[in-house]
Structures are given as C-alpha cells and as structure tokens.
Amino acid sequence: MNSDRVLTILLVEDDDGIRTIASVLLESEGHHVHAAATGEEANAWLAQHQPDVLFADVNLPGIGGAEVARLAREAHPELRVLLTSGEAMPDPAWLASGVRYLNKPYDRRALLAAIESTAKAAA
C-alpha cells in the first residue's frame, strides 16, 4: 500500500466470506477494521465511534449500505465512503456527493487502491 497512514475502517458486509477476506486484506496493510454484518450493527457502532472510511455493501438485509452511509454522514459530514456491490450500479447522486464505488468482485489490488483513493478524497 502506498499510504503511510493507518486508517480505521468500518466494513459492512453481510457475506461472511467476503467480510472475512476483506478484513484480513485491510488488516494485513496495518489498518484497524471493525467488521459489521448488518446496517443496524454498523449504525450502533457508528453511534460511538468515527472511522476514517466507511466501506459498505449496497445490498444488505434491512438497512442497506447507502442508507448507512447517509446516516453516518449526517453525524460525520467529513466521513469518507466507499460503497460496493456486485448487482447495483452506482447512483449518480452518491458519486456527486463524493462517495466512491467499487464493483464486486474485486481483488486485493482493487480493494487497496479504492480504500486509499477514498481516504484521500474530499468528503
């Protein structure tokens, strides 16, 4: 990774395998990762913590990743957001608000590059 900054990343992904792999990849780069399986779990964590980057799947049961991002940015307007999906296309409104988007499936290089560019982007 090119970044010399350790990030706190909230990873919201309902697929256990993807969540585990993404967590391991990000932690192997020195980042602190809090992994949540649901939007509700993510919102509860966000009520008491502020990550540098929110990395969330768009399609979650219950509260989806885009809604988690919207609520999180209400509380933390400077929060950097990276959304991902293998099904949904990025909403132009997300992109206009500075939200980044990563298509699934992604590999290690794509994930790390997306996290780095998201962290450097203006919120």
Side-chain angles (χ1 to χ4, degrees):
M1 183 178 68
N2 297 329
S3 175
D4 48 356
R5 179 174 167 212
V6 173
L7 301 170
T8 298
I9 300 167
L10 173 56
L11 167 62
V12 191
E13 171 60 63
D14 62 319
D15 183 289
D16 293 338
I18 294 171
R19 188 175 59 251
T20 299
I21 290 168
S23 292
V24 168
L25 286 175
L26 294 168
E27 288 171 346
S28 74
E29 293 294 318
H31 299 304
H32 303 289
V33 177
H34 178 80
T38 66
E40 292 82 0
E41 184 182 333
N43 285 338
W45 189 85
L46 283 163
Q48 298 184 25
H49 303 89
Q50 182 174 351
D52 299 304
V53 175
L54 168 63
F55 177 41
D57 188 354
V58 172
N59 298 312
L60 298 168
I63 300 172
E67 181 66 5
V68 171
R70 187 188 67 73
L71 293 170
R73 276 195 151 174
E74 285 179 4
H76 309 288
E78 70 286 352
L79 179 63
R80 302 330 191 236
V81 176
L82 175 62
L83 295 177
T84 188
S85 177
E87 300 169 17
M89 293 302 294
D91 183 324
W94 300 339
L95 302 177
S97 71
V99 170
R100 301 294 178 108
Y101 188 81
L102 177 63
N103 284 315
K104 284 182 178 177
Y106 50 80
D107 61 16
R108 176 187 179 95
R109 181 179 297 137
L111 173 59
L112 296 177
I115 290 290
E116 186 171 333
S117 68
T118 301
K120 290 179 178 180

